[in-house]
Amino acid sequence: MSEPPVVAQTVGVFRAFATLAVFLVLRNPQPLRLDTLLAGIRQSTGRAVLESDVALFRGILGARTIDLHWAAAATDSDSDNQDKDGDSPCLFVSLSLARDPDPPAKRPSKRQRKTVAPQPVLLVKQLVDRFSKSLRERISTHQDGDGAAALIDRIARENLPPRPSPPASGLQGAEPAASSVPHLLATLKSSRFYADQLLDAAATTVPAKPASYQALSADIDPAIWSALSIDQLYSHQAQAISAAMQGRSLVLSTSTASGKSTAYQVPLLQRLLDDPQST
């Protein structure tokens, strides 16, 4: 049986993560702020590594090798972005670089001394080999029959620590604070399913397009147009009204303030004029 493509893809994502993470931890063996690390991976390799991917790595290698935890991110007290209620929590990753046991001490040959790989390369290779072996073992022993991709997604979800609850406001009877929109977006982006479907609004410009109008084929009482102060219809309104007047079911999906309500109101008002007893 051939190996699912998701296995090689996942090992490739881990290799990109391990390469930069090992280099940074060797320079400073402290927990790494995860969003900064992932941004660095994207900038240096062009590969997108997500929070859920790192949670998967934790689940495969264990928390003693890779651990995730929330902690307050230190911010400049003069920064305009500082959270008013204190430092906002950020996700940090800790990486343990315990090397595989070395073979019995033996003086390498002159050729071996010239070709021995630098320590970071050895550490990355060891981590990747361990991850690859452990991942394949988990998949080979998986019995649920829902596939490797489903197993990988489940391991990731089980190992992503929940964001800590915001501090209580101190007001009696106050409702718990709802998750912020940025946190919701960050949570969605951490899922590989949604990652490429969400765009940064600040970096996205939707060009303006001229309005598209269309004549209506259905017969609508002029009193309705007068009451609604309408003298022309957008194309989506005309098509929706015509479909509704023919008794067809429809779903109208357009942007905010584009006249969707009118498309529903006009057929309703016409029906009431034709049959005041209709419900």
Side-chain angles (χ1 to χ4, degrees):
M1 181 182 294
S2 60
E3 182 177 82
V6 70
V7 177
Q9 295 169 3
T10 303
V11 173
V13 173
F14 178 78
R15 181 178 289 106
F17 164 82
T19 300
L20 183 57
V22 166
F23 173 77
L24 294 175
V25 169
L26 286 176
R27 293 182 60 189
N28 183 16
Q30 299 294 327
L32 305 170
R33 181 164 165 168
L34 188 57
D35 56 356
T36 303
L37 173 62
L38 300 188
I41 295 172
R42 181 186 288 271
Q43 183 177 9
S44 60
T45 68
R47 185 184 288 270
V49 181
L50 309 176
E51 288 182 359
S52 57
D53 293 324
V54 183
L56 169 67
F57 305 157
R58 178 184 187 268
I60 296 297
L61 292 178
R64 294 184 62 180
T65 300
I66 296 178
D67 197 19
L68 289 167
H69 64 277
W70 289 93
T75 56
D76 185 350
S77 60
D78 295 330
S79 171
D80 292 336
N81 296 324
Q82 187 178 15
D83 191 287
K84 294 180 179 180
D85 298 323
D87 294 335
S88 59
C90 292
L91 202 54
F92 286 80
V93 58
S94 301
L95 180 63
S96 174
L97 295 180
R99 296 183 55 180
D100 292 342
D102 292 327
K106 181 175 69 172
R107 181 176 176 81
S109 66
K110 184 175 181 180
R111 181 176 180 180
Q112 288 174 326
R113 291 197 298 270
K114 286 184 177 180
T115 59
V116 66
Q119 185 185 24
V121 176
L122 287 175
L123 292 172
V124 170
K125 183 179 183 303
Q126 289 176 358
L127 276 175
V128 173
D129 289 346
R130 282 179 53 201
F131 177 80
S132 176
K133 180 181 178 181
S134 299
L135 176 65
R136 287 178 167 90
E137 288 177 350
R138 290 286 292 272
I139 291 175
S140 66
T141 58
H142 182 52
Q143 302 295 330
D144 289 350
D146 52 358
L151 172 64
I152 286 173
D153 182 66
R154 177 170 61 79
I155 295 174
R157 285 186 280 106
E158 291 174 350
N159 285 275
L160 187 63
R163 185 182 179 92
S165 301
S169 64
L171 297 177
Q172 299 217 349
E175 293 293 329
S179 296
S180 65
V181 171
H183 173 233
L184 174 61
L185 292 176
T187 301
L188 292 175
K189 288 182 178 180
S190 71
S191 166
R192 185 160 291 279
F193 178 80
Y194 289 108
D196 297 328
Q197 301 183 47
L198 300 174
L199 301 178
D200 184 355
T204 304
T205 300
V206 179
K209 295 190 297 185
S212 174
Y213 299 100
Q214 183 175 324
L216 182 65
S217 57
D219 186 16
I220 303 296
D221 193 298
I224 296 176
W225 303 126
S226 177
L228 297 177
S229 301
I230 294 175
D231 54 11
Q232 59 182 342
L233 294 171
Y234 294 120
S235 57
H236 65 273
Q237 292 175 315
Q239 294 168 19
I241 292 171
S242 296
M245 293 297 294
Q246 295 170 21
R248 294 162 55 193
S249 299
L250 65 108
V251 174
L252 182 56
S253 176
T254 60
S255 58
T256 303
S258 58
K260 292 186 292 294
S261 297
T262 298
Y264 294 114
Q265 291 167 354
V266 169
L268 175 62
L269 294 173
Q270 184 61 52
R271 179 63 181 273
L272 290 173
L273 286 177
D274 294 340
D275 181 8
Q277 302 302 318
S278 63
T279 58

